[in-house]
Amino acid sequence: MEKLTFYALSAPEKLDRIGAYLSERLIRDVGRHRYGYVCIAMEALDQLLMACHCQSINLFVESFLKMVAKLLESEKPNLQILGTNSFVKFANIEEDTPSYHRSYDFFVSRFSEMCHSSHDDMEIKTKIRMSGIKGLQGVVRKTVNDELQANIWDPQHMDKIVPSLLFNLQHVEEAESRSPSPLQAPEKEKENPAELAERCLRELLGRAAFGNIKNAIKPVLIHLDNHSLWEPKVFAIRCFKIIMYSIQPQHSHLVIQQLLSHLDANSRSAATVRAGIVEVLSEAAVIAATGSVGPTVLEMFNTLLRQLRLSIDYALTGSYDVAMSLGTKIIKEHEERMFQEAVIKTIGSFASTLPTYQRSEVILFIMSKVPLPSLHHPMETGKTGENRNRLTQIMLLKSLLQVSTGFQCNNMMSALPSNFLDRLLSTALMEDAEIRLFVLEILISFIDRHGNRHKFSTISTLSDISVLKLKVDKCSRQDTVFMKKHSQQLYRHIYLSCKEETNIQKHYEALYGLLALISIELANEEVVVDLIRLVLAVQDVAQVNEENLPVYNRCALYALGAAYLNLISQLTTVPAFCQHIHEVIETRKKEAPYMLPEDVFVERPRLSQNLDGVVIEFLFRQSKISEVLGGSGYNSDRLCLPYIPQLTDEDRLSKRKSIGETISLQVEVESRNSPEKEERVPAEEITYETLKKAIVDSVAVEEQERERRRQVVEKFQKAPFEEIAAHCGARASLLQSKLNQIFEITIRPPPSPSGTITAAYGQPQNHSIPVYEMKFPDLCVY
């Protein structure tokens, strides 16, 4: 061997003949089953290959690869392993000169076939599979960095390499379960095809350039589809974790796009399959967010929301073809519900990783998709349409709640912009109790910036709120501006939410938490005064009971007012105010415990059957509160005014049960031009007839305006050019004549030095005289 190596190095031009001779001998020995000589020939080829790096080595390599292919074609496992080992050694050699005509198609196919070996002997099967994985790893190393070599990233190669690696990854549990004893575990770990396949896959993906990611990911998706691996989803998640951590961070969004496209392509697959894809998408998106998500943020949310709508349609119609009433596949509602929950969870987990500005965009984007009963967002009619609208609203609001949880924004104006807040609060007036509860929880998530929310999860009248350890900061200037602009809107929706008959304990707990968080996060003296007026108005609702509320609701409103006034009195630290609240609470404890949260908000509420005879000692008196707070610098005049909500169009647009709720409401109109003005001037009384007339008139005016616009558009589309030009010319001449009249009136001639001329009716009139006719005094003549 030493002489042969010396001869090959001394005469490099003889390498091709040496290779051809050894190849001929090896083929002959394989055919005659003389395997000892086969091993000698391969050893000689390996040593010559390692020693020689001359320009003529290409011809020698061709002979070498021919012999490796011959060994791989053999049915003997030992020969296959021998050929693979020689190929791996060859793959690690860096050649000085490129080869333009070398092909590795056979090796990719054969190594992939070895990866799927099903030999009866477990040990031999493991060795063959590991040899196949090593061979694929060698092909990748040999070709991936050389542009002149065969393009290993072509779909024809990736469709063989990637599934072969995933097949071995998939059987990791089987390999682990067959390990004979703990003592042999380290040895078995070294011989585990799954770990070798994972290393090879990581290496392959780590070398992938921007344009090759798609070809590498597509076989993964197809493999998971063909083997139904989305439903357990454990293996699918593991695969994509390997992918996301192996590729370059700037390529992460390409994987997300592939998953989104695959989810769209499987939109009519079983709910369990779609849920598995969404779970994988959730894991991948969280990892991608640490790198670069790129332009796929809104695209991802748009796809998920579209799938959410499709799932709702599938659950309602029972068919994957929405146009047909009966489908060939049986759709299980509970599976669709699981898919919907998986989508919502994915939306929340991905949004939690986004920066604040992107999160705000996502929040606005989701809110724009919520169907609302407004003039600009018509809703579907009919029973099926109402169910679809309701389910869509609930699912989107759940998604919004997931996104808003943990949202931190110092400026409430940017966290709750006007267009978003208007749409959100309009849903707070709907009949559906579940939707109203979601709206309250979303508002709490936005307002709670110091983690105080959980401290108000239960309603109680604590004698000392210091045990809550509240985190309180001074109200910033931006928060003050926000409350000046939106406070009346918030108060109105809180007030109307309190009057709902369908409220349960969760609603009152959310209302209490919202009032408490506004007092802590956004309150100045003016806001505190308005909140006290609001709670006293809620107490009046329970006392007067014009809404015919059930006994539980009335007791709950009394208890809600007691809990909030107990909290705000201790936050304001006005002793006389605290004393009055404490006295009323003590009186209720003795004689009317059904008006306190400790007896109302429990599993079995203890209620009173007769609430009509509530004595004044049980109530918080507005006059007393305004007196004690007025002495501490609060605006007593404003405290004396009872709170009355503003009337808006939302009652008409939000499908209330009866618009008669707004009969004879006293409407307060605050002057927006003078925000420093504390007094509010009540407007005229609105009766049922005037309100009905205003609604009918507004609809008629809108119809007339719409018809006029249609006629104008039609005229400009169909009329001849001369007619349009004449019409525009007439308008221009009319405008010019009006301008001339204005100029004649406003522009006066200069007064004449010669005096004034008395016109008719004894009125003096200025008269203009030419300069040459003017009579100047003698002193002015030169």
Side-chain angles (χ1 to χ4, degrees), residues 234-353:
V234 177
F235 178 72
I237 290 175
R238 181 172 178 235
C239 285
F240 274 89
K241 281 187 175 181
I242 292 172
I243 292 170
M244 297 304 294
Y245 284 119
S246 300
I247 62 174
Q248 300 177 31
Q250 62 268 27
H251 300 160
S252 300
H253 67 279
L254 297 176
V255 181
I256 302 298
Q257 286 177 341
Q258 287 284 98
L259 280 168
L260 292 174
S261 301
H262 196 67
L263 181 59
D264 279 337
N266 285 272
S267 58
R268 296 193 178 187
S269 299
T272 51
V273 173
R274 286 178 280 130
I277 299 175
V278 169
E279 289 279 352
V280 172
L281 187 60
S282 172
E283 297 286 343
V286 171
I287 299 172
T290 59
S292 171
V293 184
T296 59
V297 176
L298 289 183
E299 179 189 350
M300 176 176 176
F301 285 100
N302 191 29
T303 301
L304 291 174
L305 295 180
R306 183 169 62 249
Q307 292 296 325
L308 206 55
R309 283 178 175 272
L310 286 175
S311 177
I312 292 171
D313 290 338
Y314 296 158
L316 287 174
T317 60
S319 169
Y320 288 118
D321 189 353
V322 180
M324 297 172 59
S325 59
L326 294 176
T328 55
K329 296 181 181 179
I330 299 175
I331 294 180
K332 299 178 181 178
E333 284 192 21
H334 71 278
E335 291 183 355
E336 291 294 338
R337 201 173 300 114
M338 288 173 56
F339 169 71
Q340 293 161 11
E341 294 296 333
V343 171
I344 293 170
K345 179 185 174 184
T346 300
I347 289 174
S349 62
F350 181 47
S352 63
T353 63

Side-chain angles (χ1 to χ4, degrees), residues 433-434 436-438 440-441 444 456-457 459 502-514 552 556 601:
E434 190 176 1
R436 295 200 310 272
L437 183 59
F438 280 130
L440 293 173
E441 291 178 348
I444 289 173
F456 303 110
S457 57
I459 309 178
T502 54
N503 285 345
I504 58 176
Q505 181 175 339
K506 288 184 178 180
H507 290 84
Y508 295 111
E509 289 173 350
L511 287 166
Y512 173 68
L514 183 58
Y552 174 78
F601 300 118

